[in-house]
């Protein structure tokens, strides 16, 4: 599950394995090994992946399918607009 999530999130963001490796300061081979389920990323890398992809470590591990938006730093007016957009989309 973890390997599939890493690959899915990477592709959804239009990143190559090289791009992701650069952001994590690891080799492309490390990313390839994670995605091919040859090895698991360290806990430190798991946390870094969660930050890069703005998901929880539980999501990466397949323990939680909920997705979250990072809204830190937005004011109440901006948060209200985002909630209205979400409500509109759910109502569609």
């Amino acid at each position: 599950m973890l390997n599939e999530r890493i690959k899915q999130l990477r592709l959804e963001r239009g990143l190559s394995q090289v791009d992701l490796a650069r952001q994590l300061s690891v080799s492309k081979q490390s990313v390839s090994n994670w995605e091919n389920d040859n090895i698991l990323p360290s806990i430190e890398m798991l946390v870094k992946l969660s930050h890069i992809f703005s998901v929880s470590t539980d999501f990466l591990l397949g323990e939680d399918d909920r997705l979250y938006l990072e809204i830190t730093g937005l004011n109440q007016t901006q948060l209200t607009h985002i909630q209205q957009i979400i409500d509109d989309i759910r109502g569609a």
Side-chain angles (χ1 to χ4, degrees), residues 35-53:
E35 291 185 0
N36 290 315
D37 209 18
N38 295 329
I39 59 171
L40 295 173
S42 68
I43 293 172
E44 177 187 1
M45 284 299 121
L46 189 65
V47 170
K48 286 183 178 183
L49 286 163
S50 74
H51 291 167
I52 287 170
F53 294 134

Side-chain angles (χ1 to χ4, degrees), residues 12-27:
E12 286 174 359
R13 284 155 180 78
L15 297 172
S16 68
Q17 288 182 340
V18 171
D19 295 331
L20 181 56
R22 280 190 190 125
Q23 290 185 34
L24 294 166
S25 299
V26 299
S27 69

Side-chain angles (χ1 to χ4, degrees), residues 1 5 56 58-68:
M1 171 76 58
R5 292 270 167 110
S56 69
D58 282 349
F59 179 83
L60 286 173
L61 294 169
E63 296 296 317
D64 185 352
D65 285 334
R66 294 178 290 175
L67 295 174
Y68 301 90

Side-chain angles (χ1 to χ4, degrees), residues 73-90:
L74 298 180
N75 65 40
Q76 190 56 50
T77 301
Q78 294 166 324
L79 294 173
T80 300
H81 286 134
I82 290 171
Q83 187 61 56
Q84 289 171 341
I85 292 167
I86 292 169
D87 292 344
D88 287 347
I89 291 170
R90 286 187 174 148

